[in-house]
Amino acid sequence: MTYLSRIRINPLRSPSRNLLGNARAMHSIVMHGVPGDATGERILWRLDADNPHRPWLYVLTHTKPDWTHLIESAGWPGAEGEHAHIADYRPLLDKLRAGDSYAFRVTASPVQNTKAPTKLTQAQKDRAQERLDAAQTTGRRPRSLRLGHRTAAAQMNWFTERTPGWGFRIPATEIEPQVPGIELDDSLASEVLIRNRQRLSFGHGTSRSTKHPVVIHTATFEGRLEITDAQRFTEILLAGIGPSKAYGCGLLTLAALPAA
């Protein structure tokens, strides 16, 4: 079984502010929502805080979760209404077909692997030197350095170039004709936009946390997609997109398109 949960977060409470500002802390409390040992289960989550007064947490699990602890510490435990909605994901997965179109949203961590990095921060230079020193010690070739894309254009290119391998495509925009004398670039010529971009930084929770904090550049993509390979697309929905999944990246969610 697979379950998609949506949980209300109260941003005014002290524990909530810690969770909202620290992806590592949010990952920890999400993992505690699954009974037993969750280390062997791929759990995807995403925080949607478009409205900072009403943030929502989405979580995809293969085990039915219990969010009582999260509601009590970071929600509205005494308020009316539904605090956490847990839905069986299988009905959606079973009806996916090639050619179907959906509205979508995903927060991802666009990255590149390079052996010739440029414009590095001091922390990245330190990491690159450590890898070079390790390679010289072992006699192996230096490993590539994984760097986050930091511009909107690079992040958009990262996303659109990979959609064929994820089992879907982004349709061309239906805005016709184009404004005379103005040419739309690639990011504006398809049904996708970047809704939000962030730079996340937090410690490892180890002795290395001060010297080498975790730094993630994220982008939230949303728009319209068309399924081209239902089997591959289903795999992507369950496994997530890109790296940094433990820190709120990779969960792609769907919604019905508004009626024409």
Side-chain angles (χ1 to χ4, degrees):
M1 299 292 289
T2 307
Y3 300 89
L4 180 64
S5 303
R6 188 176 76 160
I7 307 106
R8 294 194 299 175
I9 304 296
N10 183 346
L12 299 180
R13 302 181 65 182
S14 179
S16 302
R17 290 194 292 270
N18 178 52
L19 295 175
L20 294 173
N22 189 322
R24 184 172 177 270
M26 183 66 83
H27 167 71
S28 178
I29 200 167
V30 164
M31 295 295 285
H32 283 87
V34 176
D37 183 7
T39 57
E41 177 176 337
R42 169 64 71 190
I43 296 177
L44 300 174
W45 63 272
R46 186 183 76 233
L47 180 67
D48 283 357
D50 304 66
N51 181 348
H53 304 293
R54 292 290 185 272
W56 291 93
L57 174 65
Y58 292 83
V59 188
L60 187 70
T61 63
H62 296 288
T63 302
K64 190 170 184 178
D66 181 353
W67 303 116
T68 303
H69 68 298
L70 182 54
I71 295 168
E72 291 179 346
S73 63
W76 281 273
E80 295 182 352
E82 188 175 47
H83 303 286
H85 179 71
I86 303 173
D88 183 356
Y89 210 44
R90 181 50 56 183
L92 171 64
L93 299 179
D94 288 344
K95 73 176 184 178
L96 297 175
R97 298 290 186 272
D100 291 349
S101 294
Y102 291 90
F104 77 91
R105 170 175 278 217
V106 60
T107 295
S109 175
V111 298
Q112 60 175 322
N113 293 313
T114 177
K115 292 184 178 180
T118 60
K119 298 182 180 180
L120 297 180
T121 64
Q122 187 57 52
Q124 291 169 342
K125 291 178 181 178
D126 292 342
R127 285 168 50 204
Q129 187 60 51
E130 287 180 357
R131 295 192 179 197
L132 179 60
D133 293 341
Q136 291 175 343
T137 300
T138 60
R140 299 178 180 177
R141 292 182 179 180
R143 293 168 52 200
S144 297
L145 191 64
R146 174 178 285 184
L147 302 176
H149 286 298
R150 290 177 281 182
T151 68
Q155 291 171 341
M156 182 63 76
N157 287 337
W158 176 91
F159 183 78
T160 56
E161 289 174 357
R162 286 162 175 76
T163 57
W166 293 333
F168 66 91
R169 72 180 190 91
I170 305 297
T173 182
E174 296 180 357
I175 299 176
E176 293 289 348
Q178 294 185 12
V179 180
I182 298 179
E183 295 184 0
L184 297 178
D185 62 27
D186 291 341
S187 66
L188 296 177
S190 57
E191 293 281 356
V192 59
L193 56 81
I194 295 178
R195 179 64 65 185
N196 185 41
R197 301 171 61 237
Q198 284 188 302
R199 178 186 182 276
L200 307 179
S201 178
F202 47 92
H204 283 271
T206 68
S207 59
R208 298 179 60 207
S209 60
T210 301
K211 184 178 179 181
H212 294 294
V214 175
V215 177
I216 302 171
H217 295 271
T218 70
T220 299
F221 303 90
E222 66 176 40
R224 181 167 68 95
L225 62 77
E226 179 183 317
I227 301 172
T228 56
D229 183 334
Q231 180 176 345
R232 177 57 180 158
F233 185 63
T234 299
E235 293 171 353
I236 285 296
L237 287 179
L238 296 175
I241 286 175
S244 303
K245 296 182 180 69
Y247 303 122
C249 296
L251 175 59
L252 191 153
T253 54
L254 305 176
L257 289 167

